[in-house]
Amino acid sequence: MKKQWLIALGLALVVALTTACSNSDSTKSDSKTTSNKTETAANAKADMMQFYMNLVDKINSADKDINAYESALTADPKPSADELASLKEKAAAAAPNVEANIKELKIPSGLKDKKSDLEAILKDLEATYQLKANELKKDQPSLDAANAKFSSADDALGKLLQSVGLAKASLNNDVNS
């Protein structure tokens, strides 16, 4: 009878140790998975921030004449007709350059799950500056449609920034000021 108890106790001990060891392995595995997810999220955050900063730099490197023209439209006192015409001419020349700069942007590989959204935003921004270029060729340009397109892209980009854990930024504030 003692032998049976010892054998039963030995088997129970083996089962308990085996279970404890397998839980330890799964905990390590879960820890690695959690660590990888955290690292991926941190990389996505860094990649998104870098993408955003590159976008701002690309636009700002070419849009100062557009900003000057748009500011002059609402300035008080208004610039002379000649000054406004000169600003408009410079803005018209700058718009295609901004569009070309946006087309040069590359989406980081760490943002592959956001790639289609980012591509759509970039297309909207390209269209914004194409609309501005077309309007600025007219005698009485209206930039309302282009600015609405820009606002839409700005909102979508802000939501994407938030989706990776960043604060919502305003592209409008960062490039049109």
Side-chain angles (χ1 to χ4, degrees):
M1 184 82 162
K2 281 187 175 183
K3 285 184 180 181
Q4 288 177 343
W5 273 101
L6 285 175
I7 292 173
L9 184 61
L11 287 174
L13 186 60
V14 168
V15 169
L17 288 175
T18 303
T19 304
C21 289
S22 69
N23 283 343
S24 174
D25 288 345
S26 80
T27 302
K28 287 180 186 175
S29 176
D30 289 347
S31 176
K32 276 186 179 179
T33 302
T34 302
S35 176
N36 286 343
K37 286 180 183 176
T38 303
E39 188 175 310
T40 301
N43 288 343
K45 208 181 221 186
D47 286 345
M48 183 64 83
M49 182 54 107
Q50 187 63 47
F51 175 81
Y52 181 79
M53 296 308 295
N54 287 340
L55 176 61
V56 169
D57 289 345
K58 289 284 189 182
I59 294 172
N60 278 336
S61 70
D63 80 335
K64 68 178 180 184
D65 290 328
I66 299 168
N67 292 340
Y69 173 73
E70 289 188 72
S71 293
L73 291 175
T74 59
D76 188 29
K78 285 202 179 240
S80 70
D82 288 341
E83 289 173 324
L84 200 56
S86 174
L87 288 170
K88 180 182 155 197
E89 187 178 310
K90 289 177 184 176
N97 296 332
V98 178
E99 181 185 2
N101 284 357
I102 293 169
K103 285 181 181 181
E104 291 175 3
L105 276 170
K106 302 290 183 229
I107 297 170
S109 61
L111 297 173
K112 63 184 171 204
D113 58 331
K114 308 279 185 209
K115 187 174 182 174
S116 63
D117 293 331
L118 289 169
E119 286 173 341
I121 290 167
L122 291 176
K123 289 288 182 203
D124 283 350
L125 290 171
E126 290 169 22
T128 293
Y129 288 96
Q130 182 60 53
L131 284 168
K132 286 185 180 193
N134 292 340
E135 281 297 315
L136 289 165
K137 292 176 187 173
K138 297 177 180 178
D139 288 337
Q140 297 294 319
S142 172
L143 302 177
D144 293 342
N147 290 334
K149 189 83 146 161
F150 185 90
S151 291
S152 173
D154 187 16
D155 288 341
L157 185 57
K159 289 176 185 171
L160 272 182
L161 289 167
Q162 288 179 316
S163 76
V164 297
L166 293 170
K168 183 176 181 179
S170 172
L171 190 60
N172 187 46
N173 290 343
D174 290 335
V175 300
N176 292 330
S177 53

